Amino acid sequence: MTDYPARSAQVIERCRQLARITDVPGETTRLFLSPATREAHALLTHWMQAAGLEVRTDAIGNLRGLLPGPAADSPRLLIGSHIDTVPNAGAFDGPLGVLLGLALIEELRSSDASFSFAIELIAFSEEEGVRFATPFLGSLALIAQLEPDTLQRKDDDGISLAASIRNFGLDPAELPATVADPAAAGYFEIHIEQGPVLEHEDRSLAVVEAIAGQTRLALTFSGHANHAGTTPMGPLRRDALAAASEWIAEVERSATSIPGLVATVGKVEVPGGAGNVIPGIVTSTLDVRDARDQVRRAAVEHLLESAAIVCAKRRVNVAHTRTLDQPAVPMDHRLTNLLAAAVTQMTGTPARRMPSGAGHDAMIVARRIPSTMLFLRSPGGLSHHPNETVLPADVEAALAAGTAFLRSLSL
Ligand SMILES: [Zn+2]
């Protein structure tokens, strides 16, 4: 009989052990190809080799462990997530997917089940985009979509990405060998939800149907700055901040009326603002996300229209630029249905399906390889924070569902 509670405790303990490996003492901060990353690789390599994996570090710094299949050309399932972190991170965003993947491999090897496919466990070197201010370096390299220009990007110390790879003892010329084996036929990522939905519904797990698409805009509201004391209220004022505020309230109202859509104004500035001056210029952001591209596009158009209407009434001009327009990424139907069936079987209730509002490596890998994702409840909805955690029972449920998924899978 499988001892899921013991395996779950070990996964959590390993995540905590990894979290103590940090570039900044007293917190968990592990940036791309940093000294802490080297130390994390050593520990992970030790665990992976003990599980019988053939381990290598590829040229973008992804740590990869292969469990060969029955034949040299057996189809290959990739299981992965990332081991870089945001500054002052928690222990589970990323590493949980790697260490649950390892635990699944250990579980399968301890049973006498035989598999028709190889499994490659990948600890992606970079997902958060902190060091070079651009995310997904590890997964982009895996699917041969790391732009050559990216190698010239510099970190805050003026070190280029190419130099950081060389400094780690790797060779940028070897990047082509980072690309996934042609036999790779599926990708499976386990991640914490990073939101409050599963906790609110008192569920352990969810199957991700799609990674939401995103539109980000930068808006400028231009009115007329004037004396706060001598300009009467009413039509003689052209207050850019009052216009922006009326519009922001409409953003919230309007997004609330569309289930599944989220729209956020996260940053508003009054350049040169002062307490006794009517705001002449206001800049703001707008972030709109939905798993349905047509819903997101329609919402963006509607919100821009309402900005124009609000501003016309106040004789304020509004202009916008799009800083990001990223379509939704659906997960693979077949793999996702298999995963949902495994979750339903192991939890005894129909699997919850949900979109991911945050980006993940699976969103990049899915461009080339059929991909599926499993979410675990985030207690307190918390992530990117030292108090980020998981419940042992949820890790057990993920192990049980993951094992059932792998047993039901053919590639
Ligand atoms: Zn993550």
Side-chain angles (χ1 to χ4, degrees):
M1 192 60 194
T2 302
D3 192 353
Y4 288 127
R7 281 207 194 282
S8 158
Q10 186 181 46
V11 166
I12 291 169
E13 172 49 29
R14 282 174 168 174
C15 289
R16 298 260 179 231
Q17 236 178 300
L18 208 58
R20 288 194 285 274
I21 301 177
T22 173
D23 294 309
V24 181
E27 58 184 54
T28 298
T29 299
R30 224 171 25 245
L31 302 192
F32 175 71
L33 297 189
S34 66
T37 301
R38 188 184 300 283
E39 212 185 311
H41 277 192
L43 184 60
L44 281 166
T45 299
H46 167 72
W47 289 333
M48 285 182 179
Q49 285 175 339
L53 305 185
E54 299 165 6
V55 183
R56 71 179 176 109
T57 305
D58 70 21
I60 196 71
N62 298 325
L63 188 72
R64 303 165 70 152
L66 181 66
L67 183 68
D73 61 348
S74 294
R76 189 178 288 195
L77 174 70
L78 311 182
I79 302 179
S81 198
H82 60 97
I83 57 162
D84 67 314
T85 73
V86 294
N88 199 17
F92 299 96
D93 174 355
L96 180 71
V98 175
L99 292 165
L100 261 171
L102 181 61
L104 288 175
I105 291 169
E106 289 169 336
E107 171 63 24
L108 295 172
R109 295 209 75 200
S110 73
S111 67
D112 46 10
S114 61
F115 282 89
S116 58
F117 50 87
I119 300 179
E120 185 174 2
L121 179 65
I122 307 180
F124 286 113
S125 56
E126 213 292 341
E127 188 266 356
E128 301 284 9
V130 176
R131 181 166 175 188
F132 289 97
T134 183
F136 307 116
L137 298 177
S139 43
L140 284 168
L142 184 81
I143 60 158
Q145 288 187 1
L146 188 68
E147 296 296 332
D149 289 359
T150 310
L151 287 170
Q152 307 316 320
R153 286 185 86 99
K154 294 213 167 60
D155 68 7
D156 288 345
D157 297 323
I159 299 169
S160 71
L161 176 56
S164 75
I165 290 171
R166 280 191 292 270
N167 294 345
F168 201 78
L170 299 168
D171 182 356
E174 302 286 325
L175 276 170
T178 296
V179 177
D181 190 279
Y187 173 73
F188 178 33
E189 179 164 358
I190 307 174
H191 204 281
I192 54 171
E193 180 203 343
Q194 299 182 272
V197 175
L198 291 178
E199 179 169 79
H200 180 69
E201 296 179 0
D202 194 21
R203 286 174 186 270
S204 299
L205 305 175
V207 173
V208 177
E209 287 199 296
I211 316 276
Q214 301 181 26
T215 301
R216 292 190 203 172
L217 303 174
L219 293 96
T220 304
F221 299 82
S222 310
H224 188 64
N226 209 338
H227 198 290
T230 60
T231 316
M233 301 309 290
L236 294 181
R237 286 189 177 225
R238 297 171 58 200
D239 185 329
L241 184 56
S245 306
E246 188 179 338
W247 172 70
I248 291 166
E250 172 57 22
V251 169
E252 190 191 37
R253 239 191 327 269
S254 163
T256 306
S257 70
I258 305 169
L261 183 94
V262 288
T264 307
V265 175
K267 190 174 176 185
V268 177
E269 286 180 318
V270 185
N276 59 352
V277 178
I278 297 164
I281 299 277
V282 168
T283 61
S284 93
T285 59
L286 174 66
D287 176 313
V288 181
R289 305 186 192 204
D290 197 288
R292 302 152 297 179
D293 287 333
Q294 72 283 12
V295 171
R296 173 177 49 86
R297 287 197 199 102
V300 169
E301 290 321 307
H302 170 73
L303 293 175
L304 287 173
E305 253 166 56
S306 60
I309 292 167
V310 164
C311 290
K313 197 175 64 184
R314 293 172 171 274
R315 295 189 302 133
V316 168
N317 293 321
V318 60
H320 72 272
T321 54
R322 269 168 216 253
T323 53
L324 182 75
D325 221 348
Q326 187 172 276
V329 179
M331 295 290 99
D332 180 72
H333 274 296
R334 185 178 80 90
L335 294 183
T336 300
N337 285 339
L338 273 179
L339 182 59
V343 169
T344 301
Q345 181 196 336
M346 300 317 291
T347 60
T349 48
R352 172 73 153 97
R353 291 168 179 256
M354 65 187 290
S356 171
H360 294 290
D361 289 303
M363 167 182 109
I364 303 297
V365 179
R367 294 175 186 169
R368 286 284 169 87
I369 300 167
S371 297
T372 191
M373 264 196 103
L374 182 67
F375 269 172
L376 272 75
R377 156 171 38 196
S378 287
L382 207 60
S383 73
H384 289 187
H385 187 280
N387 293 346
E388 161 191 301
T389 189
V390 288
L391 299 179
D394 294 349
V395 177
E396 282 174 45
L399 277 166
T403 306
F405 168 62
L406 296 186
R407 287 186 198 285
S408 68
L409 182 62
S410 59
L411 288 172

